[in-house]
Amino acid sequence: MTSSLKPLRALSLLAASVAFAQSTEPVFRVDVDLVRLLVTVKDADGRLVGGLDKSDFLIADDGVAQDVAVFERHTEQPLSVALLVDTSGSTAKDLKYSVQSASRFLRALVGEGNPRDALALFTFNHDVTLRTSFTRNPSRVERALDHLQAEAGTSLYDALILASDTLTGREGRKVIVVVTDGGDTTSYRSYQDALRAVHAVDAVIYSIVVVPITNDAGRNVGGENALITLSRGTGGQTFFPSVGPALDAAFTGILEALRTQYLIGYYPKPQPPASGAFRKVAIALKQGGLRPFARDGYYGR
């Protein structure tokens, strides 16, 4: 069933309705001091690197070196993916191509990964709409994708906040994939509100900015830069494909990154931050030529 909610009303309604999932990894559920980082590593040529050990990573919390307490290579923690599709008026020309690529992404996600992986579909224009709650049923999501229409403005930040709220309490890894053609124009909430909401649930943002126009004229360059910063700050990545094979390749790149993620956890010393305070995190690798991608901080709980 499709439900269209105003952003602010949607946030309060969903916050009240989300229940905590039962976890097969109790240490992550009950030990609130444990800081979890989802990390992908690339070499100098941009290839994903998946064979590293715990001893290869250096973690600093507010400038203080940390001891790694939890380490999983190619973690099998289940994925909860919130897929956000821009249906503002400016996407009308290419929306059908985004929908086709998103459908293929969904089938690959549920067909190749953990049997507990699930996806929820949101659309956003001037309103934010939860099309399907978390499911492993591709047909259910594809039926919702088939009936999308492009109109009105772009409430990207409201969509990120609603998606983050829906991810609250989900077990395992939390990912937000945004498919859009530009920046925010109609949100009630701000960039900083969205960034804080995503950090609060430890979600990673992957942005796909569909850009049929190669020159700056007609593009929302400021909005694109905001998406780059949001993605980078949460440990994700931004893609700038045209429609067609390049768009499929962007979705494939996201899947490959998710399948090669490391899970790293540590107990911040000398002490965790105060509740609500933001703490910066830095990750480095002992081996030269490798670049880690992870969120750049977290909020005290």
Side-chain angles (χ1 to χ4, degrees):
M1 179 178 180
T2 297
S3 57
S4 183
L5 304 174
K6 292 289 184 180
L8 295 180
R9 180 168 173 264
L11 294 179
S12 60
L13 287 175
L14 283 173
S17 65
V18 173
F20 281 89
Q22 294 297 319
S23 174
T24 60
E25 301 286 346
V27 65
F28 297 147
R29 179 163 51 88
V30 301
D31 200 334
V32 296
D33 288 342
L34 183 71
V35 177
R36 296 196 308 162
L37 302 172
L38 294 172
V39 186
T40 54
V41 179
K42 293 185 178 182
D43 63 18
D45 296 320
R47 293 186 296 257
L48 291 163
V49 178
L52 300 173
D53 295 318
K54 177 171 72 172
S55 59
D56 292 315
F57 291 86
L58 300 171
I59 311 293
D61 185 305
D62 201 24
V64 178
Q66 303 294 314
D67 299 320
V68 176
V70 175
F71 182 82
E72 292 183 17
R73 184 190 302 114
H74 297 186
T75 179
E76 290 299 319
Q77 286 284 306
L79 279 164
S80 294
V81 179
L83 176 61
L84 280 54
V85 178
D86 184 348
T87 57
S88 61
S90 59
T91 67
K93 175 175 171 290
D94 297 314
L95 183 58
K96 68 177 181 179
Y97 303 107
S98 297
V99 166
Q100 291 167 0
S101 290
S103 295
R104 289 188 281 270
F105 168 76
L106 166 65
R107 290 192 173 274
L109 176 73
V110 300
E112 301 172 4
N114 189 309
R116 292 178 291 165
D117 292 349
L119 181 140
L121 174 65
F122 298 80
T123 59
F124 61 98
N125 45 35
H126 62 292
D127 282 342
V128 182
T129 304
L130 173 61
R131 300 283 176 175
T132 65
S133 55
F134 284 98
T135 181
R136 288 184 52 80
N137 185 341
S139 297
R140 182 182 171 200
V141 180
E142 287 171 340
R143 284 195 297 270
L145 286 169
D146 285 343
H147 295 91
L148 301 185
Q149 294 183 339
E151 61 179 354
T154 310
S155 294
L156 170 62
Y157 301 148
D158 289 342
L160 289 170
I161 293 170
L162 178 56
S164 299
D165 201 62
T166 309
L167 286 163
T168 300
R170 298 284 302 178
E171 177 192 0
R173 296 175 287 164
K174 301 162 191 175
V175 175
I176 298 174
V177 177
V178 182
V179 184
T180 183
D181 69 344
D184 190 286
T185 60
T186 54
S187 281
Y188 288 90
R189 307 294 292 274
S190 69
Y191 169 92
Q192 290 297 333
D193 292 335
L195 181 59
R196 185 182 181 94
V198 175
H199 269 305
V201 295
D202 298 346
V204 180
I205 298 176
Y206 290 93
S207 302
I208 299 177
V209 183
V210 183
V211 185
I213 304 170
T214 56
N215 61 318
D216 288 349
R219 287 173 56 178
N220 189 330
V221 177
E224 293 173 15
N225 288 334
L227 280 168
I228 291 171
T229 305
L230 281 165
S231 300
R232 183 182 299 148
T234 61
Q237 188 176 348
T238 306
F239 300 83
F240 291 90
S242 57
V243 294
L247 184 54
D248 283 340
F251 276 112
T252 298
I254 293 172
L255 275 175
E256 290 174 347
L258 296 177
R259 301 302 181 217
T260 56
Q261 278 182 326
Y262 298 86
L263 174 63
I264 299 175
Y266 67 92
Y267 296 97
K269 59 180 186 181
Q271 61 186 14
S275 177
F278 188 75
R279 183 75 65 82
K280 295 288 289 182
V281 175
I283 301 179
L285 288 155
K286 293 179 181 178
Q287 182 177 337
L290 300 183
R291 182 183 179 191
F293 294 82
R295 59 185 171 127
D296 59 7
Y298 65 100
Y299 285 94
R301 299 182 174 123

